[in-house]
Amino acid sequence: MEYASFLRQHIEQIVTLSDDEFELVLSYFKPKEVAKKEYLIKAGQKVTSEFLVIEGLLKTFLFDEKGKEHIIQFAMENWWISDYPAYAQQNSGEMCVQALENCIVLELSLKDKIQLCETLPKMYRFYGQKSFGGYVSLQKRVLSMMKNSSKEKYELLLNQYPQLFQRASKTMIAHYLGVSRETLSRLHKRYFLYLE
Amino acid sequence: MEYASFLRQHIEQIVTLSDDEFELVLSYFKPKEVAKKEYLIKAGQKVTSEFLVIEGLLKTFLFDEKGKEHIIQFAMENWWISDYPAYAQQNSGEMCVQALENCIVLELSLKDKIQLCETLPKMYRFYGQKSFGGYVSLQKRVLSMMKNSSKEKYELLLNQYPQLFQRASKTMIAHYLGVSRETLSRLHKRYFLYLE
């Protein structure tokens, strides 16, 4: 199965697994196909799982009271996605997770994750490192939101994730950066004029 | 020693330790006194450690090109603080960590943290859970920065950390929330008029 070797590579970037250990790990994950525009999580629904992206692109977002969309997270191949504040509480949340392309994801519930780690403690190391990496990335994002101009925010994202600019719409990138669609278009023209 | 029992309680919120295990853990931490206004980390200096706050209040901050201060993190008792983007790279960073009160902290280098976890793997679980908690808090902060009004941001912080409003100056809370000093004063008057 294609996703099995993907998962093994993903985990072995951090911890090495024997074949038996990997079989055990694999048994906890549920593969899932999600069609473009389909929802993996809907606001108000209890969130018990997170998802590793094998193929495709998704977003976690919400609409505020004024009907404005805010994208808290994108996820493509090798990224994890959920409504994390809700998942951490195993409760219903205010955000949605939606596929922006046809996707294949691997689902892991928090309950299974805990059981897997208890059975195979080296997985604590894997999740610890992943969470710490995520924490540091978010600190950088908060810092960028606080001090950077729209142009600097745009450039930072473009340098970090050039792929995203080929796969997500300009509107979505604007909703992720927290800049207006007009500002985004202006910046986009500056960088992509000769490519389109 | 006072800080020893503090550290044990702090860790045992997540993992239980035998006396021998705790002695091992303790041997990796270096206690440090930091006087009010003193710097624990200066911008441009190599960052190899993080710090657990036993007593006191600190901030991680930087000045942007216009000389405006941005506070990325406060830390009081039971919180960890560093310039995390720099610490993750074991490199020099752009942020400073400064004491806002006379503080006692416990220092742990990344090198020692890795060695401690290798020797006592249950510490991976401790750090994993801490990092995951930090990740979820930062997602909530990003969401609040994106969608909340100044008033909502203020109320959220006040509900989460009422202590902070007694211990940090209004200017600092403004620099953490990313709102102007004037807005902060206006909000502050609304909530604290009868208390001052």
Side-chain angles (χ1 to χ4, degrees):
Chain A
M1 271 175 287
E2 194 45 53
Y3 70 81
S5 62
F6 187 100
L7 177 65
R8 185 157 187 172
Q9 270 192 2
H10 177 78
I11 294 171
E12 290 203 324
Q13 283 169 6
I14 297 174
V15 292
T16 308
L17 300 170
S18 71
D19 290 350
D20 285 351
E21 286 171 341
F22 178 65
E23 282 309 309
L24 176 77
V25 170
L26 186 62
S27 70
Y28 283 93
F29 284 85
K30 286 193 211 93
K32 214 166 177 167
E33 287 187 22
V34 203
K36 185 174 172 172
K37 294 191 177 172
E38 208 183 304
Y39 285 81
L40 207 49
I41 295 171
K42 279 188 175 167
Q45 176 190 321
K46 193 176 168 187
V47 181
T48 53
S49 295
E50 57 183 336
F51 303 88
L52 170 64
V53 185
I54 304 296
E55 200 182 299
L57 176 70
L58 304 100
K59 63 172 177 177
T60 303
F61 70 100
L62 56 67
F63 288 104
D64 64 23
E65 301 91 52
K66 289 173 195 145
K68 201 179 156 201
E69 185 191 45
H70 301 281
I71 298 180
I72 184 90
Q73 198 199 342
F74 286 112
M76 33 192 187
E77 293 78 14
N78 271 308
W79 295 16
W80 292 78
I81 194 164
S82 188
D83 171 351
Y84 277 105
Y87 165 83
Q89 298 292 325
Q90 295 281 290
N91 220 322
S92 64
E94 48 174 350
M95 295 193 274
C96 299
V97 177
Q98 189 184 19
L100 303 175
E101 299 172 356
N102 292 328
C103 294
I104 302 168
V105 298
L106 289 180
E107 177 171 7
L108 179 67
S109 71
L110 180 59
K111 202 170 136 264
D112 280 349
K113 178 169 151 179
I114 293 167
Q115 206 187 313
L116 169 59
C117 289
E118 288 295 311
T119 316
L120 190 64
K122 65 168 82 167
M123 290 303 288
Y124 279 124
R125 193 176 137 211
F126 172 78
Y127 284 111
Q129 207 156 314
K130 280 280 160 208
S131 297
F132 182 69
Y135 177 76
V136 172
S137 294
L138 278 182
Q139 270 219 356
K140 288 182 191 165
R141 184 163 171 208
V142 168
L143 203 61
S144 167
M145 288 173 82
M146 288 178 114
K147 78 177 183 64
N148 287 357
S149 65
S150 298
K151 180 170 169 284
E152 288 165 333
K153 285 184 213 169
Y154 180 93
E155 284 170 353
L156 197 66
L157 191 66
L158 183 60
N159 285 328
Q160 280 183 302
Y161 309 114
Q163 265 199 61
L164 198 60
F165 287 73
Q166 316 298 330
R167 296 168 68 175
S169 71
K170 276 176 249 172
T171 305
M172 277 180 224
I173 288 175
H175 292 174
Y176 176 86
L177 290 176
V179 305
S180 72
R181 181 66 174 74
E182 293 67 37
T183 304
L184 204 280
S185 281
R186 196 168 35 76
L187 289 165
H188 203 73
K189 272 195 195 111
R190 194 184 300 186
Y191 290 94
F192 289 95
L193 191 58
Y194 303 108
L195 298 175
E196 279 179 344
Chain B
M1 272 176 288
E2 193 46 55
Y3 71 81
S5 61
F6 187 100
L7 177 65
R8 184 156 187 173
Q9 270 192 2
H10 177 78
I11 294 171
E12 290 203 324
Q13 283 170 5
I14 296 175
V15 292
T16 308
L17 300 170
S18 71
D19 290 350
D20 285 350
E21 285 171 341
F22 177 66
E23 283 307 310
L24 176 75
V25 170
L26 185 62
S27 70
Y28 283 93
F29 285 84
K30 285 192 213 93
K32 212 165 178 167
E33 288 187 22
V34 203
K36 185 173 173 172
K37 294 193 178 172
E38 207 183 305
Y39 286 80
L40 209 46
I41 295 171
K42 279 187 176 169
Q45 175 189 321
K46 193 175 169 187
V47 181
T48 53
S49 295
E50 59 183 335
F51 303 88
L52 171 65
V53 185
I54 304 297
E55 200 183 300
L57 176 70
L58 304 101
K59 64 172 176 177
T60 304
F61 71 101
L62 57 67
F63 289 104
D64 64 22
E65 300 91 53
K66 290 173 195 144
K68 202 179 154 200
E69 185 192 45
H70 302 281
I71 298 180
I72 185 89
Q73 199 199 341
F74 286 112
M76 36 192 185
E77 293 77 15
N78 272 309
W79 295 16
W80 292 78
I81 194 164
S82 188
D83 171 351
Y84 277 105
Y87 165 83
Q89 299 293 326
Q90 295 281 289
N91 220 322
S92 64
E94 48 175 350
M95 294 194 274
C96 298
V97 177
Q98 188 184 19
L100 303 174
E101 299 172 356
N102 292 327
C103 294
I104 302 168
V105 298
L106 289 180
E107 176 171 8
L108 180 67
S109 71
L110 180 57
K111 202 170 136 263
D112 281 348
K113 178 169 150 180
I114 292 167
Q115 205 187 313
L116 170 60
C117 288
E118 287 295 309
T119 316
L120 189 65
K122 66 168 81 167
M123 291 302 288
Y124 279 124
R125 193 176 137 211
F126 172 77
Y127 284 109
Q129 206 156 314
K130 279 280 160 206
S131 297
F132 183 69
Y135 178 77
V136 171
S137 294
L138 278 182
Q139 271 219 355
K140 289 182 190 165
R141 184 163 170 207
V142 169
L143 202 61
S144 167
M145 287 173 83
M146 288 178 112
K147 79 175 183 64
N148 286 357
S149 66
S150 298
K151 180 171 170 284
E152 287 165 334
K153 285 183 213 170
Y154 181 94
E155 284 170 353
L156 197 67
L157 190 67
L158 183 60
N159 285 329
Q160 280 183 300
Y161 309 114
Q163 264 199 61
L164 198 60
F165 286 73
Q166 316 298 327
R167 295 169 69 176
S169 71
K170 277 175 247 170
T171 304
M172 277 181 225
I173 289 175
H175 292 175
Y176 176 86
L177 290 176
V179 305
S180 71
R181 181 66 174 75
E182 294 66 37
T183 304
L184 205 279
S185 281
R186 197 169 35 77
L187 290 164
H188 202 73
K189 273 197 195 108
R190 194 185 299 186
Y191 289 92
F192 288 96
L193 191 60
Y194 304 107
L195 298 176
E196 281 178 343

PDB file of all heavy atoms in Angstrom, chain B residues 135-159:
ATOM      1  N   TYR B 135       1.690  24.530  21.680  1.00  0.00           N
ATOM      2  CA  TYR B 135       1.226  24.645  20.288  1.00  0.00           C
ATOM      3  C   TYR B 135      -0.251  25.049  20.242  1.00  0.00           C
ATOM      4  O   TYR B 135      -0.633  25.951  19.509  1.00  0.00           O
ATOM      5  CB  TYR B 135       1.444  23.301  19.575  1.00  0.00           C
ATOM      6  CG  TYR B 135       0.946  23.289  18.151  1.00  0.00           C
ATOM      7  CD1 TYR B 135       1.673  23.898  17.137  1.00  0.00           C
ATOM      8  CD2 TYR B 135      -0.257  22.667  17.817  1.00  0.00           C
ATOM      9  CE1 TYR B 135       1.217  23.899  15.828  1.00  0.00           C
ATOM     10  CE2 TYR B 135      -0.717  22.663  16.509  1.00  0.00           C
ATOM     11  CZ  TYR B 135       0.022  23.276  15.520  1.00  0.00           C
ATOM     12  OH  TYR B 135      -0.439  23.282  14.221  1.00  0.00           O
ATOM     13  N   VAL B 136      -1.048  24.390  21.052  1.00  0.00           N
ATOM     14  CA  VAL B 136      -2.490  24.682  21.064  1.00  0.00           C
ATOM     15  C   VAL B 136      -2.742  26.119  21.553  1.00  0.00           C
ATOM     16  O   VAL B 136      -3.541  26.854  20.971  1.00  0.00           O
ATOM     17  CB  VAL B 136      -3.252  23.650  21.927  1.00  0.00           C
ATOM     18  CG1 VAL B 136      -4.703  24.060  22.131  1.00  0.00           C
ATOM     19  CG2 VAL B 136      -3.173  22.264  21.292  1.00  0.00           C
ATOM     20  N   SER B 137      -2.021  26.539  22.603  1.00  0.00           N
ATOM     21  CA  SER B 137      -2.165  27.921  23.097  1.00  0.00           C
ATOM     22  C   SER B 137      -1.819  28.929  22.013  1.00  0.00           C
ATOM     23  O   SER B 137      -2.498  29.954  21.866  1.00  0.00           O
ATOM     24  CB  SER B 137      -1.223  28.178  24.272  1.00  0.00           C
ATOM     25  OG  SER B 137      -1.597  27.403  25.348  1.00  0.00           O
ATOM     26  N   LEU B 138      -0.756  28.644  21.258  1.00  0.00           N
ATOM     27  CA  LEU B 138      -0.356  29.593  20.211  1.00  0.00           C
ATOM     28  C   LEU B 138      -1.361  29.613  19.067  1.00  0.00           C
ATOM     29  O   LEU B 138      -1.599  30.662  18.471  1.00  0.00           O
ATOM     30  CB  LEU B 138       1.046  29.278  19.695  1.00  0.00           C
ATOM     31  CG  LEU B 138       2.191  29.811  20.542  1.00  0.00           C
ATOM     32  CD1 LEU B 138       3.539  29.473  19.900  1.00  0.00           C
ATOM     33  CD2 LEU B 138       2.095  31.330  20.722  1.00  0.00           C
ATOM     34  N   GLN B 139      -1.971  28.477  18.743  1.00  0.00           N
ATOM     35  CA  GLN B 139      -3.036  28.481  17.717  1.00  0.00           C
ATOM     36  C   GLN B 139      -4.175  29.385  18.172  1.00  0.00           C
ATOM     37  O   GLN B 139      -4.717  30.158  17.385  1.00  0.00           O
ATOM     38  CB  GLN B 139      -3.560  27.062  17.464  1.00  0.00           C
ATOM     39  CG  GLN B 139      -2.791  26.325  16.390  1.00  0.00           C
ATOM     40  CD  GLN B 139      -3.702  25.484  15.492  1.00  0.00           C
ATOM     41  OE1 GLN B 139      -4.908  25.367  15.707  1.00  0.00           O
ATOM     42  NE2 GLN B 139      -3.116  24.891  14.465  1.00  0.00           N
ATOM     43  N   LYS B 140      -4.522  29.285  19.461  1.00  0.00           N
ATOM     44  CA  LYS B 140      -5.597  30.148  19.982  1.00  0.00           C
ATOM     45  C   LYS B 140      -5.192  31.612  19.902  1.00  0.00           C
ATOM     46  O   LYS B 140      -6.019  32.479  19.601  1.00  0.00           O
ATOM     47  CB  LYS B 140      -5.916  29.783  21.436  1.00  0.00           C
ATOM     48  CG  LYS B 140      -6.630  28.452  21.596  1.00  0.00           C
ATOM     49  CD  LYS B 140      -6.936  28.216  23.080  1.00  0.00           C
ATOM     50  CE  LYS B 140      -7.429  26.808  23.330  1.00  0.00           C
ATOM     51  NZ  LYS B 140      -7.388  26.466  24.755  1.00  0.00           N
ATOM     52  N   ARG B 141      -3.912  31.887  20.174  1.00  0.00           N
ATOM     53  CA  ARG B 141      -3.459  33.277  20.125  1.00  0.00           C
ATOM     54  C   ARG B 141      -3.496  33.809  18.690  1.00  0.00           C
ATOM     55  O   ARG B 141      -3.932  34.942  18.451  1.00  0.00           O
ATOM     56  CB  ARG B 141      -2.032  33.378  20.691  1.00  0.00           C
ATOM     57  CG  ARG B 141      -1.552  34.820  20.747  1.00  0.00           C
ATOM     58  CD  ARG B 141      -0.352  34.965  21.656  1.00  0.00           C
ATOM     59  NE  ARG B 141       0.258  36.277  21.543  1.00  0.00           N
ATOM     60  CZ  ARG B 141       1.531  36.527  21.782  1.00  0.00           C
ATOM     61  NH1 ARG B 141       2.326  35.542  22.142  1.00  0.00           N
ATOM     62  NH2 ARG B 141       2.009  37.751  21.668  1.00  0.00           N
ATOM     63  N   VAL B 142      -3.042  33.001  17.725  1.00  0.00           N
ATOM     64  CA  VAL B 142      -3.078  33.415  16.318  1.00  0.00           C
ATOM     65  C   VAL B 142      -4.529  33.705  15.919  1.00  0.00           C
ATOM     66  O   VAL B 142      -4.828  34.728  15.296  1.00  0.00           O
ATOM     67  CB  VAL B 142      -2.465  32.332  15.390  1.00  0.00           C
ATOM     68  CG1 VAL B 142      -2.739  32.636  13.921  1.00  0.00           C
ATOM     69  CG2 VAL B 142      -0.952  32.237  15.618  1.00  0.00           C
ATOM     70  N   LEU B 143      -5.417  32.822  16.300  1.00  0.00           N
ATOM     71  CA  LEU B 143      -6.838  32.993  15.977  1.00  0.00           C
ATOM     72  C   LEU B 143      -7.371  34.294  16.580  1.00  0.00           C
ATOM     73  O   LEU B 143      -8.070  35.063  15.912  1.00  0.00           O
ATOM     74  CB  LEU B 143      -7.605  31.796  16.544  1.00  0.00           C
ATOM     75  CG  LEU B 143      -8.953  31.492  15.901  1.00  0.00           C
ATOM     76  CD1 LEU B 143      -8.767  31.167  14.429  1.00  0.00           C
ATOM     77  CD2 LEU B 143      -9.624  30.325  16.605  1.00  0.00           C
ATOM     78  N   SER B 144      -7.014  34.542  17.824  1.00  0.00           N
ATOM     79  CA  SER B 144      -7.457  35.765  18.490  1.00  0.00           C
ATOM     80  C   SER B 144      -6.870  37.001  17.806  1.00  0.00           C
ATOM     81  O   SER B 144      -7.561  38.006  17.607  1.00  0.00           O
ATOM     82  CB  SER B 144      -7.051  35.713  19.968  1.00  0.00           C
ATOM     83  OG  SER B 144      -7.200  36.973  20.572  1.00  0.00           O
ATOM     84  N   MET B 145      -5.600  36.921  17.399  1.00  0.00           N
ATOM     85  CA  MET B 145      -4.969  38.047  16.697  1.00  0.00           C
ATOM     86  C   MET B 145      -5.675  38.319  15.374  1.00  0.00           C
ATOM     87  O   MET B 145      -5.767  39.459  14.930  1.00  0.00           O
ATOM     88  CB  MET B 145      -3.485  37.752  16.423  1.00  0.00           C
ATOM     89  CG  MET B 145      -2.599  37.823  17.653  1.00  0.00           C
ATOM     90  SD  MET B 145      -0.901  37.255  17.314  1.00  0.00           S
ATOM     91  CE  MET B 145      -0.169  38.756  16.624  1.00  0.00           C
ATOM     92  N   MET B 146      -6.145  37.238  14.728  1.00  0.00           N
ATOM     93  CA  MET B 146      -6.777  37.380  13.413  1.00  0.00           C
ATOM     94  C   MET B 146      -8.184  37.946  13.498  1.00  0.00           C
ATOM     95  O   MET B 146      -8.581  38.767  12.690  1.00  0.00           O
ATOM     96  CB  MET B 146      -6.844  36.025  12.712  1.00  0.00           C
ATOM     97  CG  MET B 146      -5.514  35.511  12.221  1.00  0.00           C
ATOM     98  SD  MET B 146      -5.680  33.883  11.448  1.00  0.00           S
ATOM     99  CE  MET B 146      -5.319  34.302   9.732  1.00  0.00           C
ATOM    100  N   LYS B 147      -8.960  37.470  14.460  1.00  0.00           N
ATOM    101  CA  LYS B 147     -10.395  37.742  14.378  1.00  0.00           C
ATOM    102  C   LYS B 147     -10.943  38.636  15.488  1.00  0.00           C
ATOM    103  O   LYS B 147     -12.043  39.168  15.350  1.00  0.00           O
ATOM    104  CB  LYS B 147     -11.178  36.427  14.295  1.00  0.00           C
ATOM    105  CG  LYS B 147     -11.371  35.683  15.607  1.00  0.00           C
ATOM    106  CD  LYS B 147     -12.268  34.480  15.389  1.00  0.00           C
ATOM    107  CE  LYS B 147     -12.578  33.714  16.646  1.00  0.00           C
ATOM    108  NZ  LYS B 147     -13.324  34.395  17.679  1.00  0.00           N
ATOM    109  N   ASN B 148     -10.203  38.787  16.600  1.00  0.00           N
ATOM    110  CA  ASN B 148     -10.782  39.515  17.726  1.00  0.00           C
ATOM    111  C   ASN B 148     -10.524  41.024  17.674  1.00  0.00           C
ATOM    112  O   ASN B 148      -9.477  41.463  17.205  1.00  0.00           O
ATOM    113  CB  ASN B 148     -10.238  38.971  19.048  1.00  0.00           C
ATOM    114  CG  ASN B 148     -10.828  37.619  19.402  1.00  0.00           C
ATOM    115  OD1 ASN B 148     -11.688  37.113  18.682  1.00  0.00           O
ATOM    116  ND2 ASN B 148     -10.382  37.035  20.484  1.00  0.00           N
ATOM    117  N   SER B 149     -11.463  41.767  18.214  1.00  0.00           N
ATOM    118  CA  SER B 149     -11.264  43.205  18.418  1.00  0.00           C
ATOM    119  C   SER B 149     -10.299  43.396  19.588  1.00  0.00           C
ATOM    120  O   SER B 149     -10.039  42.460  20.351  1.00  0.00           O
ATOM    121  CB  SER B 149     -12.600  43.856  18.748  1.00  0.00           C
ATOM    122  OG  SER B 149     -13.056  43.363  19.998  1.00  0.00           O
ATOM    123  N   SER B 150      -9.788  44.614  19.734  1.00  0.00           N
ATOM    124  CA  SER B 150      -8.893  44.908  20.857  1.00  0.00           C
ATOM    125  C   SER B 150      -9.568  44.557  22.177  1.00  0.00           C
ATOM    126  O   SER B 150      -8.949  43.984  23.077  1.00  0.00           O
ATOM    127  CB  SER B 150      -8.513  46.397  20.855  1.00  0.00           C
ATOM    128  OG  SER B 150      -7.825  46.704  19.675  1.00  0.00           O
ATOM    129  N   LYS B 151     -10.847  44.883  22.278  1.00  0.00           N
ATOM    130  CA  LYS B 151     -11.591  44.607  23.513  1.00  0.00           C
ATOM    131  C   LYS B 151     -11.647  43.098  23.794  1.00  0.00           C
ATOM    132  O   LYS B 151     -11.437  42.648  24.920  1.00  0.00           O
ATOM    133  CB  LYS B 151     -13.008  45.188  23.378  1.00  0.00           C
ATOM    134  CG  LYS B 151     -13.909  44.976  24.575  1.00  0.00           C
ATOM    135  CD  LYS B 151     -15.195  45.784  24.426  1.00  0.00           C
ATOM    136  CE  LYS B 151     -16.232  45.415  25.474  1.00  0.00           C
ATOM    137  NZ  LYS B 151     -16.912  44.142  25.206  1.00  0.00           N
ATOM    138  N   GLU B 152     -11.922  42.322  22.747  1.00  0.00           N
ATOM    139  CA  GLU B 152     -11.991  40.861  22.929  1.00  0.00           C
ATOM    140  C   GLU B 152     -10.630  40.270  23.304  1.00  0.00           C
ATOM    141  O   GLU B 152     -10.543  39.370  24.144  1.00  0.00           O
ATOM    142  CB  GLU B 152     -12.524  40.198  21.652  1.00  0.00           C
ATOM    143  CG  GLU B 152     -14.017  40.429  21.437  1.00  0.00           C
ATOM    144  CD  GLU B 152     -14.461  40.097  20.006  1.00  0.00           C
ATOM    145  OE1 GLU B 152     -13.615  40.167  19.074  1.00  0.00           O
ATOM    146  OE2 GLU B 152     -15.643  39.799  19.821  1.00  0.00           O
ATOM    147  N   LYS B 153      -9.561  40.780  22.658  1.00  0.00           N
ATOM    148  CA  LYS B 153      -8.214  40.298  22.982  1.00  0.00           C
ATOM    149  C   LYS B 153      -7.880  40.583  24.444  1.00  0.00           C
ATOM    150  O   LYS B 153      -7.308  39.760  25.144  1.00  0.00           O
ATOM    151  CB  LYS B 153      -7.172  41.009  22.094  1.00  0.00           C
ATOM    152  CG  LYS B 153      -7.129  40.529  20.666  1.00  0.00           C
ATOM    153  CD  LYS B 153      -6.013  41.254  19.914  1.00  0.00           C
ATOM    154  CE  LYS B 153      -6.394  41.462  18.474  1.00  0.00           C
ATOM    155  NZ  LYS B 153      -5.479  42.341  17.741  1.00  0.00           N
ATOM    156  N   TYR B 154      -8.243  41.790  24.869  1.00  0.00           N
ATOM    157  CA  TYR B 154      -7.989  42.206  26.255  1.00  0.00           C
ATOM    158  C   TYR B 154      -8.739  41.297  27.232  1.00  0.00           C
ATOM    159  O   TYR B 154      -8.168  40.793  28.205  1.00  0.00           O
ATOM    160  CB  TYR B 154      -8.432  43.665  26.409  1.00  0.00           C
ATOM    161  CG  TYR B 154      -8.220  44.250  27.779  1.00  0.00           C
ATOM    162  CD1 TYR B 154      -7.063  44.966  28.083  1.00  0.00           C
ATOM    163  CD2 TYR B 154      -9.193  44.127  28.766  1.00  0.00           C
ATOM    164  CE1 TYR B 154      -6.871  45.529  29.342  1.00  0.00           C
ATOM    165  CE2 TYR B 154      -9.010  44.688  30.029  1.00  0.00           C
ATOM    166  CZ  TYR B 154      -7.851  45.382  30.311  1.00  0.00           C
ATOM    167  OH  TYR B 154      -7.665  45.933  31.548  1.00  0.00           O
ATOM    168  N   GLU B 155     -10.007  41.071  26.952  1.00  0.00           N
ATOM    169  CA  GLU B 155     -10.833  40.248  27.846  1.00  0.00           C
ATOM    170  C   GLU B 155     -10.336  38.808  27.929  1.00  0.00           C
ATOM    171  O   GLU B 155     -10.338  38.189  28.995  1.00  0.00           O
ATOM    172  CB  GLU B 155     -12.291  40.251  27.370  1.00  0.00           C
ATOM    173  CG  GLU B 155     -13.000  41.555  27.704  1.00  0.00           C
ATOM    174  CD  GLU B 155     -14.367  41.670  27.033  1.00  0.00           C
ATOM    175  OE1 GLU B 155     -14.704  40.797  26.204  1.00  0.00           O
ATOM    176  OE2 GLU B 155     -15.072  42.647  27.339  1.00  0.00           O
ATOM    177  N   LEU B 156      -9.907  38.282  26.782  1.00  0.00           N
ATOM    178  CA  LEU B 156      -9.404  36.907  26.732  1.00  0.00           C
ATOM    179  C   LEU B 156      -8.175  36.763  27.623  1.00  0.00           C
ATOM    180  O   LEU B 156      -8.075  35.830  28.433  1.00  0.00           O
ATOM    181  CB  LEU B 156      -9.050  36.561  25.273  1.00  0.00           C
ATOM    182  CG  LEU B 156      -8.880  35.097  24.922  1.00  0.00           C
ATOM    183  CD1 LEU B 156     -10.196  34.363  25.040  1.00  0.00           C
ATOM    184  CD2 LEU B 156      -8.348  34.949  23.482  1.00  0.00           C
ATOM    185  N   LEU B 157      -7.247  37.709  27.495  1.00  0.00           N
ATOM    186  CA  LEU B 157      -6.021  37.669  28.300  1.00  0.00           C
ATOM    187  C   LEU B 157      -6.348  37.851  29.780  1.00  0.00           C
ATOM    188  O   LEU B 157      -5.794  37.153  30.635  1.00  0.00           O
ATOM    189  CB  LEU B 157      -5.052  38.757  27.817  1.00  0.00           C
ATOM    190  CG  LEU B 157      -3.629  38.681  28.392  1.00  0.00           C
ATOM    191  CD1 LEU B 157      -2.901  37.437  27.900  1.00  0.00           C
ATOM    192  CD2 LEU B 157      -2.810  39.931  28.048  1.00  0.00           C
ATOM    193  N   LEU B 158      -7.259  38.763  30.053  1.00  0.00           N
ATOM    194  CA  LEU B 158      -7.653  39.026  31.451  1.00  0.00           C
ATOM    195  C   LEU B 158      -8.289  37.789  32.090  1.00  0.00           C
ATOM    196  O   LEU B 158      -8.017  37.454  33.241  1.00  0.00           O
ATOM    197  CB  LEU B 158      -8.628  40.213  31.479  1.00  0.00           C
ATOM    198  CG  LEU B 158      -9.109  40.685  32.855  1.00  0.00           C
ATOM    199  CD1 LEU B 158      -7.948  41.129  33.733  1.00  0.00           C
ATOM    200  CD2 LEU B 158     -10.107  41.840  32.718  1.00  0.00           C
ATOM    201  N   ASN B 159      -9.112  37.085  31.324  1.00  0.00           N
ATOM    202  CA  ASN B 159      -9.731  35.864  31.852  1.00  0.00           C
ATOM    203  C   ASN B 159      -8.723  34.750  32.054  1.00  0.00           C
ATOM    204  O   ASN B 159      -8.795  34.001  33.023  1.00  0.00           O
ATOM    205  CB  ASN B 159     -10.842  35.371  30.910  1.00  0.00           C
ATOM    206  CG  ASN B 159     -12.070  36.243  31.030  1.00  0.00           C
ATOM    207  OD1 ASN B 159     -12.351  36.782  32.101  1.00  0.00           O
ATOM    208  ND2 ASN B 159     -12.799  36.398  29.940  1.00  0.00           N
TER     209      ASN B 159
END
